[in-house]
mmCIF file of all heavy atoms in Angstrom:
data_model
loop_
_atom_site.group_PDB
_atom_site.id
_atom_site.type_symbol
_atom_site.label_atom_id
_atom_site.label_comp_id
_atom_site.label_asym_id
_atom_site.label_seq_id
_atom_site.Cartn_x
_atom_site.Cartn_y
_atom_site.Cartn_z
ATOM 1 N N TYR A 577 -4.825 3.674 -6.241
ATOM 2 C CA TYR A 577 -4.456 3.653 -4.828
ATOM 3 C C TYR A 577 -4.381 5.067 -4.128
ATOM 4 O O TYR A 577 -4.489 6.106 -4.870
ATOM 5 C CB TYR A 577 -2.986 3.079 -4.626
ATOM 6 C CG TYR A 577 -1.836 4.027 -5.145
ATOM 7 C CD1 TYR A 577 -1.173 4.904 -4.394
ATOM 8 C CD2 TYR A 577 -1.461 3.922 -6.472
ATOM 9 C CE1 TYR A 577 -0.173 5.635 -4.841
ATOM 10 C CE2 TYR A 577 -0.354 4.641 -6.934
ATOM 11 C CZ TYR A 577 0.204 5.529 -6.174
ATOM 12 O OH TYR A 577 1.250 6.491 -6.663
ATOM 13 N N CYS A 578 -4.432 4.990 -2.876
ATOM 14 C CA CYS A 578 -4.470 6.327 -2.062
ATOM 15 C C CYS A 578 -3.230 6.245 -1.198
ATOM 16 O O CYS A 578 -2.571 5.196 -0.906
ATOM 17 C CB CYS A 578 -5.770 6.352 -1.217
ATOM 18 S SG CYS A 578 -7.230 6.140 -2.132
ATOM 19 N N ASN A 579 -2.846 7.466 -0.717
ATOM 20 C CA ASN A 579 -1.698 7.505 0.209
ATOM 21 C C ASN A 579 -2.280 8.139 1.665
ATOM 22 O O ASN A 579 -2.926 9.029 1.641
ATOM 23 C CB ASN A 579 -0.658 8.415 -0.290
ATOM 24 C CG ASN A 579 0.554 8.576 0.674
ATOM 25 O OD1 ASN A 579 0.639 9.355 1.508
ATOM 26 N ND2 ASN A 579 1.484 7.634 0.493
ATOM 27 N N GLY A 580 -1.945 7.363 2.601
ATOM 28 C CA GLY A 580 -2.456 7.767 3.961
ATOM 29 C C GLY A 580 -2.354 6.651 5.014
ATOM 30 O O GLY A 580 -1.615 5.574 4.765
ATOM 31 N N GLN A 581 -3.080 6.802 6.095
ATOM 32 C CA GLN A 581 -3.212 5.768 6.979
ATOM 33 C C GLN A 581 -3.893 4.585 6.497
ATOM 34 O O GLN A 581 -4.880 4.643 5.909
ATOM 35 C CB GLN A 581 -3.919 6.272 8.239
ATOM 36 C CG GLN A 581 -3.123 7.257 9.103
ATOM 37 C CD GLN A 581 -2.031 6.605 9.804
ATOM 38 O OE1 GLN A 581 -2.141 5.686 10.599
ATOM 39 N NE2 GLN A 581 -0.842 7.256 9.716
ATOM 40 N N LEU A 582 -3.355 3.317 6.770
ATOM 41 C CA LEU A 582 -3.841 2.174 6.272
ATOM 42 C C LEU A 582 -5.196 1.795 6.877
ATOM 43 O O LEU A 582 -5.364 1.697 8.029
ATOM 44 C CB LEU A 582 -2.834 1.003 6.562
ATOM 45 C CG LEU A 582 -3.114 -0.339 5.849
ATOM 46 C CD1 LEU A 582 -3.051 -0.204 4.350
ATOM 47 C CD2 LEU A 582 -2.080 -1.409 6.432
ATOM 48 N N PRO A 583 -6.228 1.602 6.037
ATOM 49 C CA PRO A 583 -7.588 1.244 6.517
ATOM 50 C C PRO A 583 -7.450 -0.123 7.245
ATOM 51 O O PRO A 583 -6.683 -0.991 6.763
ATOM 52 C CB PRO A 583 -8.418 1.126 5.306
ATOM 53 C CG PRO A 583 -7.773 2.000 4.224
ATOM 54 C CD PRO A 583 -6.308 1.859 4.532
ATOM 55 N N LYS A 584 -8.301 -0.353 8.208
ATOM 56 C CA LYS A 584 -8.374 -1.642 8.894
ATOM 57 C C LYS A 584 -9.260 -2.678 8.233
ATOM 58 O O LYS A 584 -10.344 -2.859 8.806
ATOM 59 C CB LYS A 584 -8.664 -1.396 10.421
ATOM 60 C CG LYS A 584 -7.605 -0.471 11.084
ATOM 61 C CD LYS A 584 -8.025 -0.143 12.562
ATOM 62 C CE LYS A 584 -7.047 0.828 13.147
ATOM 63 N NZ LYS A 584 -7.478 1.125 14.607
ATOM 64 N N LEU A 585 -8.855 -3.023 7.095
ATOM 65 C CA LEU A 585 -9.781 -4.011 6.408
ATOM 66 C C LEU A 585 -9.016 -5.333 6.137
ATOM 67 O O LEU A 585 -7.751 -5.337 5.957
ATOM 68 C CB LEU A 585 -10.113 -3.407 5.027
ATOM 69 C CG LEU A 585 -11.031 -2.062 5.054
ATOM 70 C CD1 LEU A 585 -11.147 -1.509 3.755
ATOM 71 C CD2 LEU A 585 -12.355 -2.504 5.724
ATOM 72 N N GLN A 586 -9.718 -6.482 5.988
ATOM 73 C CA GLN A 586 -9.067 -7.740 5.751
ATOM 74 C C GLN A 586 -8.478 -7.744 4.402
ATOM 75 O O GLN A 586 -9.114 -7.238 3.404
ATOM 76 C CB GLN A 586 -10.187 -8.850 5.922
ATOM 77 C CG GLN A 586 -9.516 -10.229 5.795
ATOM 78 C CD GLN A 586 -10.616 -11.249 6.014
ATOM 79 O OE1 GLN A 586 -11.820 -10.940 6.237
ATOM 80 N NE2 GLN A 586 -10.288 -12.578 5.917
ATOM 81 N N ASN A 587 -7.351 -8.266 4.192
ATOM 82 C CA ASN A 587 -6.660 -8.420 2.876
ATOM 83 C C ASN A 587 -6.333 -7.044 2.332
ATOM 84 O O ASN A 587 -6.310 -6.986 1.137
ATOM 85 C CB ASN A 587 -7.443 -9.256 1.899
ATOM 86 C CG ASN A 587 -7.505 -10.738 2.412
ATOM 87 O OD1 ASN A 587 -6.521 -11.313 2.974
ATOM 88 N ND2 ASN A 587 -8.691 -11.391 2.106
ATOM 89 N N GLN A 588 -6.068 -6.097 3.120
ATOM 90 C CA GLN A 588 -5.735 -4.736 2.503
ATOM 91 C C GLN A 588 -4.422 -4.796 1.860
ATOM 92 O O GLN A 588 -3.436 -5.156 2.545
ATOM 93 C CB GLN A 588 -5.802 -3.720 3.625
ATOM 94 C CG GLN A 588 -5.564 -2.297 3.266
ATOM 95 C CD GLN A 588 -6.617 -1.791 2.245
ATOM 96 O OE1 GLN A 588 -7.708 -1.695 2.636
ATOM 97 N NE2 GLN A 588 -6.187 -1.462 1.039
ATOM 98 N N VAL A 589 -4.319 -4.248 0.656
ATOM 99 C CA VAL A 589 -3.100 -4.356 -0.166
ATOM 100 C C VAL A 589 -2.296 -2.970 0.010
ATOM 101 O O VAL A 589 -2.866 -1.983 -0.057
ATOM 102 C CB VAL A 589 -3.434 -4.549 -1.667
ATOM 103 C CG1 VAL A 589 -2.214 -4.497 -2.523
ATOM 104 C CG2 VAL A 589 -4.121 -5.861 -1.876
ATOM 105 N N VAL A 590 -1.048 -3.185 0.269
ATOM 106 C CA VAL A 590 -0.084 -2.073 0.298
ATOM 107 C C VAL A 590 0.909 -2.266 -0.844
ATOM 108 O O VAL A 590 1.367 -3.259 -1.135
ATOM 109 C CB VAL A 590 0.663 -1.973 1.728
ATOM 110 C CG1 VAL A 590 1.774 -0.917 1.676
ATOM 111 C CG2 VAL A 590 -0.252 -1.769 2.808
ATOM 112 N N ILE A 591 1.063 -1.113 -1.572
ATOM 113 C CA ILE A 591 1.982 -1.225 -2.758
ATOM 114 C C ILE A 591 3.192 -0.283 -2.661
ATOM 115 O O ILE A 591 3.139 0.746 -1.936
ATOM 116 C CB ILE A 591 1.221 -0.998 -3.994
ATOM 117 C CG1 ILE A 591 0.662 0.439 -4.039
ATOM 118 C CG2 ILE A 591 0.026 -1.960 -4.190
ATOM 119 C CD1 ILE A 591 0.016 0.837 -5.374
ATOM 120 N N GLU A 592 4.181 -0.632 -3.413
ATOM 121 C CA GLU A 592 5.416 0.256 -3.697
ATOM 122 C C GLU A 592 5.520 0.386 -5.218
ATOM 123 O O GLU A 592 5.345 -0.622 -5.841
ATOM 124 C CB GLU A 592 6.762 -0.365 -3.063
ATOM 125 C CG GLU A 592 6.654 -0.425 -1.572
ATOM 126 C CD GLU A 592 7.991 -1.088 -1.155
ATOM 127 O OE1 GLU A 592 8.827 -1.362 -1.949
ATOM 128 O OE2 GLU A 592 8.080 -1.258 0.061
ATOM 129 N N VAL A 593 5.676 1.644 -5.765
ATOM 130 C CA VAL A 593 5.759 1.903 -7.069
ATOM 131 C C VAL A 593 7.076 2.608 -7.402
ATOM 132 O O VAL A 593 7.716 3.233 -6.537
ATOM 133 C CB VAL A 593 4.549 2.828 -7.498
ATOM 134 C CG1 VAL A 593 3.191 2.200 -7.291
ATOM 135 C CG2 VAL A 593 4.583 4.181 -6.763
ATOM 136 N N ASP A 594 7.516 2.473 -8.733
ATOM 137 C CA ASP A 594 8.765 3.095 -9.151
ATOM 138 C C ASP A 594 8.383 4.405 -9.705
ATOM 139 O O ASP A 594 7.293 4.940 -9.683
ATOM 140 C CB ASP A 594 9.520 2.172 -10.106
ATOM 141 C CG ASP A 594 8.778 1.829 -11.324
ATOM 142 O OD1 ASP A 594 7.834 2.544 -11.704
ATOM 143 O OD2 ASP A 594 9.143 0.859 -11.972
ATOM 144 N N ASP A 595 9.319 5.166 -10.369
ATOM 145 C CA ASP A 595 9.138 6.348 -10.984
ATOM 146 C C ASP A 595 8.155 6.308 -12.042
ATOM 147 O O ASP A 595 7.507 7.352 -12.407
ATOM 148 C CB ASP A 595 10.480 7.036 -11.439
ATOM 149 C CG ASP A 595 11.405 7.310 -10.348
ATOM 150 O OD1 ASP A 595 10.926 7.405 -9.207
ATOM 151 O OD2 ASP A 595 12.634 7.374 -10.570
ATOM 152 N N GLU A 596 7.873 5.134 -12.733
ATOM 153 C CA GLU A 596 6.960 5.071 -13.727
ATOM 154 C C GLU A 596 5.500 4.618 -13.266
ATOM 155 O O GLU A 596 4.723 4.430 -14.097
ATOM 156 C CB GLU A 596 7.511 4.021 -14.792
ATOM 157 C CG GLU A 596 8.714 4.521 -15.532
ATOM 158 C CD GLU A 596 8.534 5.801 -16.284
ATOM 159 O OE1 GLU A 596 7.511 5.966 -16.904
ATOM 160 O OE2 GLU A 596 9.467 6.655 -16.254
ATOM 161 N N GLN A 597 5.418 4.554 -11.937
ATOM 162 C CA GLN A 597 4.141 4.135 -11.263
ATOM 163 C C GLN A 597 3.955 2.553 -11.548
ATOM 164 O O GLN A 597 2.800 2.129 -11.318
ATOM 165 C CB GLN A 597 2.969 4.934 -11.794
ATOM 166 C CG GLN A 597 2.918 6.376 -11.379
ATOM 167 C CD GLN A 597 2.971 6.508 -9.910
ATOM 168 O OE1 GLN A 597 1.962 6.081 -9.178
ATOM 169 N NE2 GLN A 597 3.961 7.108 -9.280
ATOM 170 N N LYS A 598 4.975 1.857 -11.919
ATOM 171 C CA LYS A 598 4.835 0.411 -11.946
ATOM 172 C C LYS A 598 4.967 -0.224 -10.510
ATOM 173 O O LYS A 598 5.904 0.251 -9.733
ATOM 174 C CB LYS A 598 5.867 -0.262 -12.928
ATOM 175 C CG LYS A 598 5.675 -1.762 -13.074
ATOM 176 C CD LYS A 598 6.677 -2.320 -14.069
ATOM 177 C CE LYS A 598 6.331 -3.805 -14.218
ATOM 178 N NZ LYS A 598 7.287 -4.439 -15.301
ATOM 179 N N ILE A 599 4.105 -1.060 -10.132
ATOM 180 C CA ILE A 599 4.113 -1.704 -8.777
ATOM 181 C C ILE A 599 5.351 -2.651 -8.785
ATOM 182 O O ILE A 599 5.368 -3.658 -9.591
ATOM 183 C CB ILE A 599 2.869 -2.418 -8.494
ATOM 184 C CG1 ILE A 599 1.688 -1.306 -8.459
ATOM 185 C CG2 ILE A 599 2.864 -3.103 -7.185
ATOM 186 C CD1 ILE A 599 0.294 -1.882 -8.260
ATOM 187 N N THR A 600 6.179 -2.356 -7.777
ATOM 188 C CA THR A 600 7.451 -3.246 -7.636
ATOM 189 C C THR A 600 7.300 -4.219 -6.455
ATOM 190 O O THR A 600 7.981 -5.163 -6.477
ATOM 191 C CB THR A 600 8.657 -2.381 -7.497
ATOM 192 O OG1 THR A 600 8.453 -1.520 -6.274
ATOM 193 C CG2 THR A 600 8.856 -1.502 -8.735
ATOM 194 N N ASN A 601 6.449 -3.892 -5.579
ATOM 195 C CA ASN A 601 6.313 -4.742 -4.435
ATOM 196 C C ASN A 601 4.862 -4.514 -3.779
ATOM 197 O O ASN A 601 4.280 -3.557 -3.955
ATOM 198 C CB ASN A 601 7.282 -4.313 -3.380
ATOM 199 C CG ASN A 601 7.432 -5.445 -2.239
ATOM 200 O OD1 ASN A 601 7.055 -6.510 -2.418
ATOM 201 N ND2 ASN A 601 7.976 -5.002 -1.093
ATOM 202 N N MET A 602 4.445 -5.583 -3.138
ATOM 203 C CA MET A 602 2.983 -5.637 -2.807
ATOM 204 C C MET A 602 2.885 -6.406 -1.403
ATOM 205 O O MET A 602 3.415 -7.514 -1.347
ATOM 206 C CB MET A 602 2.171 -6.290 -3.746
ATOM 207 C CG MET A 602 0.634 -6.125 -3.397
ATOM 208 S SD MET A 602 -0.459 -6.909 -4.675
ATOM 209 C CE MET A 602 -0.123 -5.841 -6.105
ATOM 210 N N GLY A 603 2.385 -5.779 -0.432
ATOM 211 C CA GLY A 603 2.167 -6.393 0.820
ATOM 212 C C GLY A 603 0.774 -6.632 1.190
ATOM 213 O O GLY A 603 -0.075 -5.803 0.782
ATOM 214 N N ILE A 604 0.333 -7.568 1.965
ATOM 215 C CA ILE A 604 -1.061 -7.825 2.337
ATOM 216 C C ILE A 604 -1.119 -7.715 3.854
ATOM 217 O O ILE A 604 -0.304 -8.393 4.564
ATOM 218 C CB ILE A 604 -1.508 -9.222 1.921
ATOM 219 C CG1 ILE A 604 -1.154 -9.436 0.477
ATOM 220 C CG2 ILE A 604 -3.013 -9.304 2.218
ATOM 221 C CD1 ILE A 604 -1.911 -8.611 -0.479
ATOM 222 N N ASP A 605 -2.054 -6.997 4.390
ATOM 223 C CA ASP A 605 -2.316 -6.881 5.856
ATOM 224 C C ASP A 605 -1.007 -6.408 6.565
ATOM 225 O O ASP A 605 -0.591 -7.008 7.567
ATOM 226 C CB ASP A 605 -2.843 -8.173 6.396
ATOM 227 C CG ASP A 605 -4.219 -8.438 6.001
ATOM 228 O OD1 ASP A 605 -4.934 -7.545 5.616
ATOM 229 O OD2 ASP A 605 -4.635 -9.649 5.952
ATOM 230 N N VAL A 606 -0.304 -5.408 6.022
ATOM 231 C CA VAL A 606 0.844 -4.937 6.673
ATOM 232 C C VAL A 606 0.514 -4.210 8.002
ATOM 233 O O VAL A 606 -0.478 -3.448 8.110
ATOM 234 C CB VAL A 606 1.652 -3.937 5.713
ATOM 235 C CG1 VAL A 606 2.814 -3.279 6.301
ATOM 236 C CG2 VAL A 606 1.979 -4.678 4.353
ATOM 237 N N LYS A 607 1.447 -4.443 8.873
ATOM 238 C CA LYS A 607 1.202 -3.736 10.276
ATOM 239 C C LYS A 607 2.116 -2.492 10.299
ATOM 240 O O LYS A 607 3.336 -2.576 10.371
ATOM 241 C CB LYS A 607 1.644 -4.708 11.375
ATOM 242 C CG LYS A 607 0.800 -5.999 11.371
ATOM 243 C CD LYS A 607 -0.673 -5.846 11.577
ATOM 244 C CE LYS A 607 -1.410 -7.206 11.511
ATOM 245 N NZ LYS A 607 -2.904 -7.066 11.631
ATOM 246 N N THR A 608 1.495 -1.275 10.246
ATOM 247 C CA THR A 608 2.178 -0.148 10.218
ATOM 248 C C THR A 608 1.378 1.107 10.702
ATOM 249 O O THR A 608 0.175 1.084 10.318
ATOM 250 C CB THR A 608 2.891 0.216 8.894
ATOM 251 O OG1 THR A 608 3.617 1.444 8.921
ATOM 252 C CG2 THR A 608 1.893 0.262 7.759
ATOM 253 N N ALA A 609 1.946 2.044 11.308
ATOM 254 C CA ALA A 609 1.232 3.217 11.635
ATOM 255 C C ALA A 609 1.575 4.524 10.744
ATOM 256 O O ALA A 609 1.048 5.466 10.802
ATOM 257 C CB ALA A 609 1.470 3.638 13.102
ATOM 258 N N ALA A 610 2.478 4.149 9.818
ATOM 259 C CA ALA A 610 2.963 5.256 8.986
ATOM 260 C C ALA A 610 2.140 5.352 7.717
ATOM 261 O O ALA A 610 1.242 4.452 7.503
ATOM 262 C CB ALA A 610 4.433 4.960 8.503
ATOM 263 N N ASP A 611 2.179 6.459 7.072
ATOM 264 C CA ASP A 611 1.305 6.609 5.798
ATOM 265 C C ASP A 611 1.996 5.741 4.751
ATOM 266 O O ASP A 611 3.119 5.598 4.529
ATOM 267 C CB ASP A 611 1.364 8.176 5.275
ATOM 268 C CG ASP A 611 0.590 9.090 6.153
ATOM 269 O OD1 ASP A 611 -0.114 8.560 6.962
ATOM 270 O OD2 ASP A 611 0.564 10.176 5.908
ATOM 271 N N VAL A 612 1.093 5.035 4.019
ATOM 272 C CA VAL A 612 1.477 4.145 2.995
ATOM 273 C C VAL A 612 0.637 4.305 1.695
ATOM 274 O O VAL A 612 -0.443 5.015 1.720
ATOM 275 C CB VAL A 612 1.436 2.703 3.514
ATOM 276 C CG1 VAL A 612 2.340 2.411 4.515
ATOM 277 C CG2 VAL A 612 -0.012 2.394 3.928
ATOM 278 N N ASN A 613 1.102 3.681 0.664
ATOM 279 C CA ASN A 613 0.195 3.581 -0.573
ATOM 280 C C ASN A 613 -0.584 2.391 -0.488
ATOM 281 O O ASN A 613 -0.071 1.186 -0.492
ATOM 282 C CB ASN A 613 1.079 3.529 -1.842
ATOM 283 C CG ASN A 613 1.864 4.810 -2.109
ATOM 284 O OD1 ASN A 613 1.459 5.880 -1.733
ATOM 285 N ND2 ASN A 613 3.066 4.691 -2.677
ATOM 286 N N TYR A 614 -1.898 2.540 -0.448
ATOM 287 C CA TYR A 614 -2.760 1.396 -0.139
ATOM 288 C C TYR A 614 -3.828 1.284 -1.316
ATOM 289 O O TYR A 614 -4.294 2.350 -1.841
ATOM 290 C CB TYR A 614 -3.487 1.346 1.085
ATOM 291 C CG TYR A 614 -4.374 2.486 1.402
ATOM 292 C CD1 TYR A 614 -5.735 2.564 1.131
ATOM 293 C CD2 TYR A 614 -3.912 3.609 2.096
ATOM 294 C CE1 TYR A 614 -6.556 3.569 1.292
ATOM 295 C CE2 TYR A 614 -4.826 4.662 2.351
ATOM 296 C CZ TYR A 614 -6.042 4.621 1.914
ATOM 297 O OH TYR A 614 -6.920 5.794 2.228
#
């Protein structure tokens, strides 16, 4: 994954990770202008 502005692509995945880099949550086509892990 990368961190930054969310690309405008269909079914783009946004993730949240814990301290061990395990993915704890995942969103699809999230609407946000903030930097995210995608």
Side-chain angles (χ1 to χ4, degrees):
Y577 70 90
C578 307
N579 181 268
Q581 288 289 308
L582 189 64
K584 298 176 182 178
L585 297 171
Q586 186 176 1
N587 294 324
Q588 182 63 61
V589 174
V590 174
I591 65 173
E592 294 178 5
V593 296
D594 61 18
D595 294 338
E596 297 298 320
Q597 292 297 297
K598 185 175 182 180
I599 296 177
T600 57
N601 194 20
M602 184 179 295
I604 312 294
D605 291 333
V606 176
K607 305 298 181 183
T608 178
D611 286 356
V612 294
N613 296 328
Y614 62 88

